[in-house]
Amino acid sequence: MLYIKLKMICQHHKFLYMLLLCLPIVIPASSYPLATYQIQTSSNKTQQHKDALLLSNALDYFMSEKYHESLLILQQLDKKYRLNPRYLAYLGVCYYYEWDYKHAIKYLNEAIPQLENFDPHERSLYFYDDAESYFYMSEYEKAIPLYQEMLTLCYKNEKPDALYRIGFCYMFTKDWMNARDYFAMALLEYKKYRNTSDMKARIIQITNMIIGCQQHLPKGFYQIPVCHSLISDQLLNTTQKDTLINISIKKSLVYKKQNK
């Protein structure tokens, strides 16, 4: 879902490579998001023409989800020119899909702070891929704030995935309270926005994860508190809070019966 939006953005900017064919001078830094990349030094119009065509091919590959092919071209251009922040982000996404999480983090971390005025949903994609890269490198504490940034920018039906991941981040660091809270929020959001046949297994899994986290908490923690985060108020209304508490109480009663 996130990538549909990114493809549309790529298509919108596809015409810009043609602009480069007519520009023998340096493109001002202040013009970047319209500039595809900034030419540092170049007097060779023929080479400029070839590089503009290469950029077009890289965008075509990117839109077709051929990230390896796109990466090879963008790497080549990155060595010759100073790519603008959006194309640095594209490089990061390509590295992410190549499972090269170290380089994905490098490029996404460089690009994201420079994209504050860009489309929120596009930015949510970069935050998510950056968070995922840290997640797969087991750097959970660094992944959490990136997932949380993504939550403030993405569409509502995309929130459950980030909440689900944050739950695992806290679980892997043995913060059982926060893990339980985020799994509970993920469960609510999946049921609300993604309660489809392909999500049934995940919904069951999350329910079991909540039970597992609950077992690690001290006795008496039978209610799920509101998670102390900036996103909790955006995600949970009063009815949902009551639902969480009821779920927790019912599960806790099961534990008590099992322990007798």
Side-chain angles (χ1 to χ4, degrees):
M1 285 180 283
L2 288 169
Y3 291 91
I4 295 174
K5 177 69 174 182
L6 188 55
K7 285 183 180 180
M8 292 172 64
I9 292 167
C10 288
Q11 290 170 338
H12 178 70
H13 289 83
K14 182 74 188 302
F15 80 94
L16 293 172
Y17 95 93
M18 292 297 297
L19 181 63
L20 290 173
L21 304 183
C22 308
L23 291 177
I25 58 175
V26 175
I27 301 174
S30 61
S31 64
Y32 85 78
L34 293 180
T36 45
Y37 51 79
Q38 298 170 341
I39 302 173
Q40 294 173 319
T41 57
S42 178
S43 59
N44 190 329
K45 291 184 180 180
T46 302
Q47 186 59 49
Q48 181 182 336
H49 179 91
K50 290 180 180 179
D51 290 341
L53 292 174
L54 278 176
L55 179 63
S56 174
N57 291 336
L59 291 176
D60 284 337
Y61 284 130
F62 194 92
M63 288 187 290
S64 302
E65 299 183 12
K66 296 181 179 179
Y67 298 110
H68 178 74
E69 291 82 355
S70 182
L71 176 61
L72 294 177
I73 297 173
L74 290 174
Q75 283 175 325
Q76 181 180 339
L77 294 174
D78 188 40
K79 292 177 181 178
K80 296 176 65 176
Y81 306 106
R82 186 174 63 177
L83 294 178
N84 79 24
R86 174 174 270 140
Y87 286 92
L88 291 176
Y90 288 175
L91 258 173
V93 173
C94 290
Y95 277 118
Y96 169 72
Y97 276 101
E98 286 291 291
W99 303 299
D100 187 343
Y101 302 121
K102 183 177 180 179
H103 280 95
I105 290 169
K106 173 187 173 182
Y107 281 95
L108 288 169
N109 281 356
E110 181 180 351
I112 287 173
Q114 303 179 67
L115 299 174
E116 290 185 359
N117 295 324
F118 281 55
D119 176 76
H121 191 249
E122 179 186 357
R123 291 170 59 215
S124 74
L125 164 71
Y126 304 139
F127 276 114
Y128 187 78
D129 285 355
D130 203 6
E132 288 281 275
S133 298
Y134 278 116
F135 183 90
Y136 286 119
M137 292 185 70
S138 301
E139 296 189 46
Y140 306 115
E141 292 182 357
K142 293 181 179 179
I144 290 170
L146 293 167
Y147 284 124
Q148 290 174 330
E149 287 288 344
M150 179 261 190
L151 283 167
T152 66
L153 300 168
C154 67
Y155 297 146
K156 290 182 179 180
N157 63 347
E158 294 164 346
K159 292 181 186 291
D161 294 335
L163 294 168
Y164 174 75
R165 280 292 202 225
I166 295 173
F168 275 105
C169 288
Y170 281 120
M171 186 186 75
F172 290 146
T173 55
K174 297 184 179 181
D175 184 341
W176 305 111
M177 177 75 78
N178 273 316
R180 181 189 62 176
D181 289 350
Y182 274 94
F183 281 133
M185 287 190 286
L187 179 63
L188 286 173
E189 297 299 298
Y190 274 119
K191 287 184 175 181
K192 185 175 181 180
Y193 296 109
R194 306 264 294 279
N195 197 3
T196 55
S197 58
D198 60 318
M199 286 288 107
K200 285 185 178 179
R202 176 162 292 189
I203 289 172
I204 294 172
Q205 179 201 25
I206 294 172
T207 303
N208 292 330
M209 300 303 291
I210 293 171
I211 296 172
C213 291
Q214 189 86 345
Q215 291 175 324
H216 287 278
L217 295 174
K219 292 181 179 179
F221 281 78
Y222 295 146
Q223 293 186 344
I224 296 184
V226 176
C227 183
H228 298 294
S229 70
L230 294 175
I231 63 166
S232 60
D233 290 339
Q234 301 173 20
L235 294 171
L236 302 176
N237 56 36
T238 304
T239 303
Q240 290 174 319
K241 291 176 186 177
D242 292 340
T243 302
L244 284 175
I245 293 172
N246 290 335
I247 292 173
S248 182
I249 292 174
K250 289 179 181 178
K251 297 301 180 185
S252 301
L253 290 174
V254 173
Y255 303 149
K256 284 186 177 181
K257 291 179 181 179
Q258 290 177 342
N259 291 331
K260 286 183 179 181

